[in-house]
Amino acid sequence: MAQQRGNPFKPTAGMNPPELIGRDEILNDFRDALENGPGAPDRLMRISGVRGVGKTVLLNALGDIAREYGFQVVDVAANKGFCDRILKALTRRPALNALSVAPSIMGVGLGSIELSKHEADLGEAMLTASQKGGLLITLDEIQDAPIDELRGLGNEIQLLIRQEANVAFAFAGLPTAVDDAIGADTLTFLQRAKHVELSKLPDFAVGESIEDTMRRTGKAIDGSVAALLTDAAAGYPFMVQLVGYYTWQASERRGGESVTAEDARTGIERARANFDSMVIAPILRRLPQRQVEYLLAMAQCDDDPISTGEVSRRMGLSTKDTSSYRKRLIDAAIIERVGYGTVDFAVPYMREYLLAHADDFA
Ligand SMILES: Nc1ncnc2c1ncn2[C@@H]1O[C@H](COP(=O)(O)OP(=O)(O)OP(=O)(O)O)[C@@H](O)[C@H]1O
Ligand SMILES: [Mg+2]
């Protein structure tokens, strides 16, 4: 096998990793859905998960499969104007009525007529593409989607499905945002979509993949070093790439033909610093103060798993008072329920971060 040059790990949002770990079942189901033709359930997929869990690269992988089947693939981010961008990608010409998708037009007056005209154009373009070998649309970051555009796309999707068009759609976004969006009763197409919730990767798969990836670049690694890296990655896809990247680099700087425990320690330390600033800090920044306080109280609890009663006591509130914060955090996949009346952090290193920065949050 030809040896790869350069660092194989890709700790960058949206960049395909050297190996897509733990997603075989999802990809196989999608493949089956394409094989089985219009109407197969996995042709409409809603992917949710916290930052860095691998939503975008999963969309990339779905796109690769769809291309194998001769589908045209359109990838768009769901911020304002996405319907227009899909139309442009399909027709390779700017839409005449691009202005009609301004968010101020919430389906009233003249605006709604323009909007439905625009939707019809979009629907027609999608139908045409589906007839030329199939069409997959991936919509990423759906937490940013203007609700009227999402509804517009949804109407057209429903029409295409009724027409048994050869289409597939995959949506991805942060968990709460996705739930909020489908909570809006007009978005039934999202409620019907198969829900894929991305969470931790199994350690054995992470360890195996790290070993393979190191070896493919000519670096020997023994099981105990791989175990150190696997532990540090904590099943979190972005952390797998960070740990791999900085450890590989540490070995490379020594001109090393192997990865030592010392390389791993250096790599893990640098990975942790990056993970804090690129994942944990942004998650906390998005949260309302009370939810951050809830997390802080969790971090300060000594019991494992953490008792929700103890968290509430620390906040000086009743369990009932804190239940809405807890629910929001669980919905956002930041914490998880582990048993009756107990919770734990779902994002690695969040507890350590909160304790180290407690003063900033108080
Ligand atoms: N299954 C996987 N196996 C290995 N690495 C992965 C996997 N999924 C994602 N990664 C890596 O994790 C990082 C984050 O992936 P990605 O950008 O897809 O996450 P995301 O969920 O879209 O994050 P965000 O919410 O910030 O957009 C990338 O460096 C990517 O290469
Ligand atoms: Mg992403």
Side-chain angles (χ1 to χ4, degrees):
M1 191 177 16
Q3 263 183 28
Q4 212 174 314
R5 293 185 57 205
N7 198 320
F9 294 95
K10 304 291 172 203
T12 301
M15 277 278 271
N16 291 333
E19 284 180 17
L20 194 64
I21 308 166
R23 307 294 188 224
D24 290 356
E25 196 179 321
I26 303 169
L27 297 180
N28 287 337
D29 285 349
F30 184 65
R31 211 179 274 281
D32 290 345
L34 296 188
E35 296 263 352
N36 288 331
D42 292 275
R43 283 181 167 229
L44 193 54
M45 211 183 271
R46 172 166 68 87
I47 299 161
S48 66
V50 288
R51 291 251 168 249
V53 80
K55 300 177 291 297
T56 303
V57 300
L58 182 57
L59 292 178
N60 294 348
L62 297 175
D64 290 344
I65 291 174
R67 273 185 214 97
E68 279 173 33
Y69 283 80
F71 276 47
Q72 178 176 355
V73 180
V74 176
D75 299 308
V76 283
N79 53 346
K80 182 171 166 281
F82 73 81
C83 282
D84 198 44
R85 292 196 296 278
I86 297 173
L87 185 58
K88 260 186 215 164
L90 291 175
T91 57
R92 308 243 176 260
R93 65 174 163 79
L96 296 171
N97 44 3
L99 282 177
S100 65
V101 283
S104 57
I105 306 163
M106 292 300 284
V108 284
L110 184 64
S112 71
I113 297 169
E114 287 174 21
L115 197 61
S116 40
K117 158 97 175 61
H118 186 84
E119 274 174 26
D121 287 351
L122 178 60
E124 209 174 288
M126 291 196 292
L127 183 63
T128 308
S130 75
Q131 288 161 342
K132 294 182 200 149
L135 173 69
L136 166 68
I137 299 212
T138 79
L139 192 62
D140 201 1
E141 307 279 355
I142 78 162
Q143 69 276 0
D144 300 335
I147 206 86
D148 55 341
E149 282 195 56
L150 211 46
R151 193 182 298 137
L153 179 67
N155 290 339
E156 294 310 315
I157 290 177
Q158 261 158 359
L159 210 59
L160 289 167
I161 292 174
R162 270 170 42 203
Q163 291 166 314
E164 300 193 7
N166 193 15
V167 288
F169 294 88
F171 307 88
L174 300 173
T176 29
V178 175
D179 292 344
D180 287 350
I182 60 168
D185 51 2
T186 43
L187 299 179
T188 44
F189 75 104
L190 273 182
Q191 287 161 14
R192 286 197 207 116
K194 153 101 168 264
H195 184 199
V196 174
E197 171 140 30
L198 300 182
S199 51
K200 274 182 66 139
L201 301 173
D203 280 348
F204 73 89
V206 171
E208 222 168 68
S209 174
I210 290 178
E211 284 188 32
D212 286 354
T213 306
M214 293 290 186
R215 288 192 187 125
R216 269 205 304 276
T217 64
K219 290 188 190 297
I221 179 168
D222 72 37
S224 64
V225 175
L228 286 176
L229 299 177
T230 303
D231 267 359
Y236 206 78
F238 185 47
M239 194 61 181
V240 173
Q241 301 305 315
L242 281 171
V243 163
Y245 182 89
Y246 286 109
T247 302
W248 190 94
Q249 213 56 51
S251 151
E252 190 69 4
R253 280 196 190 151
R254 293 185 300 101
E257 289 182 351
S258 64
V259 180
T260 63
E262 187 52 33
D263 296 333
R265 270 187 288 276
T266 310
I268 290 167
E269 198 178 307
R270 298 198 58 196
R272 279 287 309 276
N274 275 276
F275 190 76
D276 282 357
S277 64
M278 291 163 79
V279 175
I280 307 234
I283 288 177
L284 295 176
R285 262 202 304 277
R286 281 177 67 96
L287 292 178
Q289 176 70 14
R290 281 305 216 176
Q291 289 178 44
V292 176
E293 283 167 19
Y294 191 92
L295 292 173
L296 195 56
M298 273 179 66
Q300 286 159 345
C301 286
D302 299 321
D303 26 346
D304 178 30
I306 302 160
S307 133
T308 55
E310 177 62 21
V311 177
S312 306
R313 262 192 298 285
R314 280 181 184 270
M315 292 179 79
L317 296 168
S318 71
T319 314
K320 194 161 152 276
D321 290 335
T322 57
S323 71
S324 68
Y325 311 135
R326 182 166 53 251
K327 179 176 183 318
R328 288 254 147 205
L329 290 165
I330 291 171
D331 289 347
I334 294 168
I335 67 175
E336 56 199 5
R337 214 186 293 277
V338 280
Y340 183 75
T342 54
V343 285
D344 203 353
F345 288 96
V347 179
Y349 304 112
M350 189 169 264
R351 170 181 239 148
E352 290 83 343
Y353 184 92
L354 285 159
L355 292 176
H357 296 81
D359 292 346
D360 305 349
F361 297 115

